[in-house]
Amino acid sequence: MKSGLMYALSLAWDLGYIIALPIAILGFGGAYADKHWQSSPLFLLIGIGLALMITAIGVSRKIIKLMKETK
């Protein structure tokens, strides 16, 4: 078992990726699509919405896994 500090840092790192990657990829992708098809802000908003859904699913799965490990 990892020490408390290392486990907390590992969890923070994982959650950072779960939150940051979808918003960065889908946000920038949506902005690029809007620029390409002159449809601002449609694809940006769709990308952000999808990123929020993906993030919610990822965080909830991580929390469920954490709860199962602590039982």
Side-chain angles (χ1 to χ4, degrees), residues 35-69:
K35 188 175 181 180
H36 186 268
W37 286 301
Q38 290 90 27
S39 60
S40 185
L42 176 65
F43 289 110
L44 175 63
L45 294 175
I46 291 171
I48 290 172
L50 286 172
L52 290 173
M53 287 188 287
I54 291 168
T55 298
I57 292 168
V59 168
S60 64
R61 285 183 178 177
K62 191 71 174 175
I63 290 171
I64 290 169
K65 181 180 174 187
L66 178 66
M67 290 174 67
K68 286 181 180 178
E69 287 177 359

Side-chain angles (χ1 to χ4, degrees), residues 20-31:
L21 285 179
I23 195 70
I25 293 169
L26 293 172
F28 286 126

Side-chain angles (χ1 to χ4, degrees), residues 8-25 51 55 58-59 62:
L9 289 174
S10 173
L11 180 62
W13 188 263
D14 289 344
L15 288 175
Y17 274 118
I18 291 171
I19 294 168
L21 285 179
I23 195 70
I25 293 169
T55 298
V59 168
K62 191 71 174 175

